Amino acid sequence: MEKTQNKKMFCGLSYIRDRLFYVILTWCMALFFMNGTVFGQAEQKKITMKVTDVTVLDALYEVNRLCGNLIFFMKEEVERENTLVSVDVENLSLLETVKKIIEGTSLACIEKNGRLIVAPAVQMPVTVCGFVTDQRKSPMPGATVMVKGLTLGTVTDSRGWYKLSVPQLKDFTLVFSFIGMKETEWKYAGKDTINITLYEDVQAMDEVVVTGYGNVSKGSYTGASTTVKASDVMMAGVSSIDQMLQGVVPGMLVMNKTGMVGASPKIRVRGTSTLLGSQEPVWVVDGVIQRDPQPFNSEDNTKFSVDADDIRQLAGNAVSWLNPNDIETITVLKDASATAIYGSQAANGVIVITTKKAKVGKISVNYNGDFSIGQRPRYGLYDLMNSAERMQLSKEIYEERREFTNGSVVLPIGYEGLLQKLFNKEITHEEMASEYEKMARQNTDWFDILFRNSFNHSHSLGISGGSEKIQNRTSFGFIQENGEAKGNGMTQFTASSNTTINLWDRVTINMLLNGSVREVDGFAYGVDPFNYAYNTSRAIPAYNEDGSLFYHEKQGEGSAAISNKSTYNYNILNERSTTGSESCTRNWGTTIDLKWQILPGLEYQGLVAYNSSSSDTKQHATERSFYISSIRGYEYGTIIENTSDVGVTPLPMGGVLETDLTNITTITVRNSLVYDQLFKDKHRMTLQFGVETNSVRTKGETNKRYGYMPDRGESFVAPPASYSSYGFVVDNVMYAQGSHSVLNRIENKLSEYATAVYTYDDRYVVNFSGRVDASNRFGQDKNKRFQPTWSAGLKWRITNEEFARKT
């Protein structure tokens, strides 16, 4: 959204600049061609004419005929005025007659050296600037400043500063807005510096903080929290709610570590709280803690791939299965009070999500569709050398006898490759000059070869309605995202059903059922299209003249088969087709929530939830890839298979296949009593006590096997148990046996929690939260099996004091 606004502003300023230049040029041309005119002719000339409903251009033509062409104007400028005019004058001066014709138009008229010039009035843009702050005078970066009624605007920088150029309009109004703040309008009255203070929209927050264990009045909550509505953060072309929160919640950091679609961003609510453990916040959906489809354990991490972070990104995070159109609100709990509510697992903060529920009424059907086009990167966006500049740079480095830094490996590519051939007498000076000119004209467009303009679309269908007794909301969602990088894409299907049953006046049951399937295709083993296109010389071709792939040398591992060999043939298109990664994540769960009003002010709350997720990830590289050539020690096909020569490599045939399968099953049972009572209209006491049991079973299996032959029915060829390297026999256990690991873990936890909130006259608030957790994962020492956490807070609502109300 921010990029779109900036683009619109840029287009508007460009139009103003070009328009101003054209008008000034018109005036200058007119004055230049009038240096030979007679003074006073326009004042002496009298006009008598009558025209009805004619264009401004025709009226000026008629006046020019009567005055002897004393009016200078450009036809293209006057033709833009579509207004019809009627003029009836008698013995009126030429100047006054022309002014009468152009009255009410954007044209202006001046007299110069006895002639009249008619041209568009010169309008200079107005520049307004200032700071946008909140009620505490803190700067508000990312606030939107728009011209009302126009697609012209900007956003504030990190200091809350904005600067906007506006065409010189008769009058205009600026609109200042920010999520969670009241929109403010300011009518321009000639002052160029406009400082604005935005105030919180209390009604938009509904005065409620959702903690996951219940709803607390915002005035009675002493912790740090931020609540936003999902409808306020929805973004076109974004498929998950975690990415939509970027720049929305103050103090929360959302970073996309990769440009691949389907990858999960890194989220930090309370900064970096640990170096070894997980730094991710706890996600809670409708009161149930969600688990990542890939487990994290700092001590016995199974390393589910070469790069565990890549696998986690492909598999998604705890809420990747959730359709953003099913979300009602998002609440971020930031401080220690969140830890007291959820235990030590919430040390990194808590993000609580509530989903939409059905309402009483007739059945309603709601469809949301989103279509977006992503633009691929282009060389015009970056300050990069073309092939001629790159060749000239290498030539100057050689001619000036400059040296590369110590340890740098100079590959025989481009000008360096030509020099090597010349020194080896493989080519003559004439042939080198010819090849130089050819490479200088190459200009390979790697961004065009590796990227595309992507088309993404998402669809969401919601059906809701019901009677006083039963209400239901069912939704279906489909998302297809194609990355700008060819070979990267994501497809997701979601379904959910939320049913509320009012059994009696005091008993309400809510049943939630959801499921999703998510598939992501990505890259593996060092294939990075953007990094390659950005850093690779454009003098290197992608194809030979006959259409076959062009391979250049790239640094790899030292060869055990060929002495002093550490470079192998590389082509990014070949790597993209011979390596890759796939991820399929399935998730389904059900929740039953019961509320029973036992007595006035006393309520029982019960919850039972079951959730199951599976993540199946695959990475592969075939024997034709650079990655396998670097392990093999020579290029594919250079040594004949099944001969004695293959005994000098640890992997004579086949590639590598890594498969990771993880299943996580979670069962949660919660029982609690809530007492909420108001005494004498001033004293409010809210007490909650509950017991929760939670069991998480994680089963995982990872396999890494060499000798993979996908072209032969996905079969395997067993690597040799040993191989010969420079006359020595080397044990080949790593490649011959591969690796295999199994994860079977059960986490059981019993928790007791309590909260107490006392409020006096809506002015003074005392809040206490405590929790005790016992788990089989806390260690064998009996003294360490219980982990208590607690927090206390005070609040003085000074705005509710009598003296504050008077002021």
Side-chain angles (χ1 to χ4, degrees):
M1 177 179 178
E2 183 176 323
K3 291 183 178 179
T4 304
Q5 291 176 352
N6 290 336
K7 185 176 181 181
K8 290 178 179 177
M9 182 184 71
F10 178 78
C11 294
L13 294 178
S14 300
Y15 173 78
I16 295 170
R17 180 196 63 197
D18 297 340
R19 179 79 173 172
L20 183 62
F21 175 80
Y22 190 76
V23 171
I24 294 175
L25 180 62
T26 301
W27 286 103
C28 293
M29 291 176 62
L31 296 176
F32 178 80
F33 288 105
M34 294 175 53
N35 54 358
T37 57
V38 180
F39 299 121
Q41 292 187 31
E43 295 180 356
Q44 299 173 4
K45 196 70 176 180
K46 303 295 181 180
I47 301 297
T48 299
M49 63 177 290
K50 181 179 180 180
V51 293
T52 305
D53 294 332
V54 298
T55 63
V56 176
L57 181 63
D58 291 336
L60 291 178
Y61 276 149
E62 178 63 18
V63 176
N64 246 348
R65 186 184 66 81
L66 295 175
C67 69
N69 294 325
L70 293 179
I71 307 173
F72 181 89
F73 60 89
M74 297 191 71
K75 179 181 177 182
E76 293 80 7
E77 292 289 347
V78 180
E79 276 183 332
R80 295 194 179 98
E81 299 295 334
N82 298 322
T83 307
L84 298 180
V85 298
S86 297
V87 180
D88 186 3
V89 297
E90 184 175 355
N91 291 326
L92 191 66
S93 68
L94 177 60
L95 179 60
E96 293 299 323
T97 301
V98 174
K99 287 183 177 180
K100 195 174 185 64
I101 292 174
I102 65 176
E103 184 179 2
T105 68
S106 62
L107 302 174
C109 175
I110 64 171
E111 182 182 8
K112 187 72 175 179
N113 298 337
R115 288 179 180 262
L116 298 182
I117 305 171
V118 177
V122 179
Q123 295 183 341
M124 299 297 293
V126 176
T127 300
V128 292
C129 58
F131 290 96
V132 178
T133 59
D134 59 14
Q135 60 266 39
R136 293 178 294 274
K137 299 303 179 183
S138 299
M140 298 195 64
T144 302
V145 184
M146 296 290 294
V147 179
K148 189 175 183 178
L150 299 179
T151 58
L152 180 64
T154 185
V155 294
T156 57
D157 61 13
S158 59
R159 304 171 298 156
W161 172 262
Y162 74 94
K163 188 175 182 180
L164 180 64
S165 294
V166 184
Q168 192 180 55
L169 307 174
K170 187 175 182 180
D171 56 65
F172 62 89
T173 301
L174 295 179
V175 181
F176 300 82
S177 61
F178 190 83
I179 294 176
M181 297 291 186
K182 292 181 179 179
E183 188 175 272
T184 302
E185 295 187 1
W186 185 277
K187 188 172 183 179
Y188 180 75
K191 186 179 179 181
D192 295 334
T193 302
I194 303 174
N195 297 324
I196 293 295
T197 300
L198 297 181
Y199 296 90
E200 288 184 2
D201 189 354
V202 179
Q203 293 181 351
M205 298 300 102
D206 291 332
E207 286 288 346
V208 171
V209 176
V210 181
T211 65
Y213 286 94
N215 298 339
V216 181
S217 170
K218 189 173 184 180
S220 301
Y221 186 74
T222 59
S225 67
T226 300
T227 301
V228 295
K229 291 185 176 181
S231 57
D232 294 335
V233 298
M234 295 294 289
M235 297 175 60
V238 179
S239 60
S240 60
I241 191 63
D242 48 3
Q243 294 175 335
M244 297 180 187
L245 294 177
Q246 186 173 10
V248 173
V249 179
M252 188 172 80
L253 182 66
V254 180
M255 295 185 298
N256 289 311
K257 298 187 291 183
T258 175
M260 292 195 302
V261 301
S264 301
K266 182 170 71 174
I267 299 178
R268 297 292 179 266
V269 175
R270 301 184 64 186
T272 303
S273 58
T274 176
L275 297 177
L276 299 178
S278 174
Q279 302 175 18
E280 298 297 321
V282 172
W283 291 90
V284 180
V285 178
D286 290 332
V288 180
I289 296 177
Q290 305 298 308
R291 307 283 174 175
D292 283 347
Q294 284 286 346
F296 180 91
N297 191 305
S298 60
E299 296 180 357
D300 57 354
N301 191 351
T302 55
K303 297 297 182 184
F304 276 76
S305 71
V306 175
D307 189 344
D309 287 339
D310 292 342
I311 291 296
R312 289 172 59 83
Q313 288 179 7
L314 285 179
N317 60 17
V319 292
S320 297
W321 59 270
L322 189 59
N323 185 352
N325 290 287
D326 292 337
I327 299 175
E328 185 71 32
T329 61
I330 305 103
T331 302
V332 181
L333 309 179
K334 307 175 184 179
D335 60 0
S337 61
T339 307
I341 296 173
Y342 286 93
S344 59
Q345 63 183 342
N348 300 314
V350 180
I351 303 177
V352 183
I353 294 176
T354 58
T355 59
K356 296 177 180 178
K357 294 178 174 58
K359 298 179 180 179
V360 177
K362 295 182 179 179
I363 294 178
S364 63
V365 180
N366 182 39
Y367 168 78
N368 289 311
D370 176 56
F371 303 87
S372 62
I373 296 177
Q375 187 178 23
R376 69 170 177 84
R378 289 172 169 79
Y379 280 103
L381 302 175
Y382 312 101
D383 187 16
L384 300 174
M385 290 183 290
N386 57 29
S387 57
E389 293 168 336
R390 183 64 183 87
M391 294 292 289
Q392 181 64 27
L393 174 65
S394 296
K395 184 178 180 182
E396 292 175 359
I397 291 175
Y398 171 72
E399 292 176 347
E400 295 176 6
R401 296 299 187 268
R402 295 183 179 271
E403 296 182 356
F404 291 95
T405 58
N406 292 333
S408 298
V409 178
V410 182
L411 299 176
I413 304 173
Y415 186 79
E416 291 80 0
L418 294 179
L419 283 177
Q420 187 180 87
K421 290 182 179 179
L422 180 65
F423 294 153
N424 293 336
K425 297 182 179 181
E426 298 176 14
I427 58 175
T428 63
H429 285 280
E430 292 76 14
E431 291 174 335
M432 178 179 176
S434 176
E435 286 295 320
Y436 180 94
E437 293 299 325
K438 181 180 178 181
M439 290 184 178
R441 296 190 303 267
Q442 184 66 46
N443 267 342
T444 303
D445 193 339
W446 293 111
F447 284 119
D448 180 57
I449 294 173
L450 300 176
F451 292 84
R452 62 192 172 189
N453 293 328
S454 63
F455 174 72
N456 309 313
H457 58 101
S458 64
H459 312 271
S460 180
L461 179 67
I463 306 171
S464 64
S467 62
E468 294 288 344
K469 289 290 185 181
I470 301 177
Q471 305 96 46
N472 175 266
R473 181 183 184 275
T474 301
S475 68
F476 303 94
F478 177 79
I479 301 173
Q480 185 175 52
E481 281 192 87
N482 297 308
E484 280 74 37
K486 297 177 182 178
N488 175 220
M490 189 270 289
T491 302
Q492 178 171 304
F493 176 79
T494 62
S496 69
S497 177
N498 198 325
T499 304
T500 301
I501 304 175
N502 299 311
L503 292 180
W504 301 284
D505 293 339
R506 296 185 177 184
V507 179
T508 301
I509 297 178
N510 184 261
M511 295 183 293
L512 176 65
L513 180 65
N514 57 69
S516 71
V517 178
R518 183 174 185 267
E519 296 180 351
V520 181
D521 294 327
F523 308 106
Y525 301 110
V527 177
D528 188 341
F530 181 84
N531 183 62
Y532 185 87
Y534 189 87
N535 293 297
T536 302
S537 170
R538 300 182 66 184
I540 300 175
Y543 299 95
N544 294 309
E545 295 181 356
D546 60 0
S548 60
L549 295 178
F550 175 87
Y551 291 85
H552 62 81
E553 291 190 30
K554 182 179 179 180
Q555 185 72 22
E557 299 293 333
S559 174
I562 302 176
S563 178
N564 297 324
K565 180 176 178 58
S566 60
T567 61
Y568 307 89
N569 291 338
Y570 188 89
N571 183 286
I572 184 68
L573 299 178
N574 176 70
E575 291 304 299
R576 193 179 66 187
S577 62
T578 56
T579 64
S581 62
E582 303 171 7
S583 175
C584 180
T585 305
R586 298 177 177 87
N587 184 292
W588 81 273
T590 181
T591 303
I592 300 177
D593 186 1
L594 171 66
K595 293 183 179 180
W596 175 23
Q597 194 76 30
I598 302 174
L599 296 171
L602 181 62
E603 183 181 69
Y604 165 80
Q605 296 179 356
L607 179 143
V608 178
Y610 176 87
N611 185 272
S612 176
S613 66
S614 66
S615 175
D616 187 1
T617 304
K618 171 183 175 181
Q619 290 191 112
H620 76 279
T622 71
E623 59 185 353
R624 298 176 183 268
S625 65
F626 166 84
Y627 179 78
I628 296 300
S629 295
S630 182
I631 296 175
R632 187 170 49 236
Y634 53 85
E635 309 297 343
Y636 172 78
T638 56
I639 294 181
I640 302 176
E641 299 177 0
N642 299 323
T643 62
S644 59
D645 294 335
V646 300
V648 295
T649 173
L651 188 62
M653 297 176 62
V656 62
L657 174 66
E658 294 185 68
T659 58
D660 316 309
L661 178 62
T662 305
N663 291 289
I664 299 178
T665 302
T666 305
I667 299 176
T668 302
V669 179
R670 182 187 305 155
N671 296 278
S672 66
L673 288 174
V674 179
Y675 177 76
D676 187 10
Q677 195 67 42
L678 179 65
F679 304 96
K680 297 182 180 181
D681 295 330
K682 286 189 176 182
H683 305 272
R684 175 175 290 277
M685 177 66 72
T686 303
L687 303 174
Q688 183 180 22
F689 175 78
V691 177
E692 181 182 59
T693 59
N694 187 274
S695 179
V696 180
R697 180 161 190 170
T698 304
K699 285 188 174 183
E701 182 180 359
T702 175
N703 289 280
K704 183 175 184 180
R705 189 173 176 184
Y706 292 90
Y708 179 55
M709 306 287 285
D711 298 336
R712 302 182 185 180
E714 298 207 48
S715 59
F716 289 86
V717 176
S722 62
Y723 64 95
S724 176
S725 178
Y726 305 112
F728 297 94
V729 177
V730 180
D731 190 8
N732 197 30
V733 176
M734 183 177 72
Y735 295 103
Q737 296 184 1
S739 62
H740 175 79
S741 61
V742 174
L743 174 65
N744 191 350
R745 185 173 64 199
I746 297 179
E747 302 177 41
N748 294 323
K749 184 165 64 174
L750 173 64
S751 306
E752 297 177 353
Y753 59 92
T755 61
V757 180
Y758 171 73
T759 305
Y760 174 74
D761 198 22
D762 277 342
R763 289 183 292 166
Y764 311 107
V765 181
V766 180
N767 194 317
F768 174 83
S769 298
R771 182 184 181 100
V772 177
D773 293 322
S775 173
N776 64 327
R777 302 294 299 174
F778 287 165
Q780 298 301 318
D781 189 346
K782 294 182 179 181
N783 296 327
K784 296 181 179 179
R785 292 185 182 179
F786 291 89
Q787 194 171 50
T789 54
W790 63 274
S791 71
L794 300 174
K795 176 184 283 189
W796 177 23
R797 304 184 67 183
I798 193 172
T799 55
N800 290 344
E801 293 287 353
E802 188 66 26
F803 66 85
R805 294 175 182 174
K806 291 180 180 180
T807 57

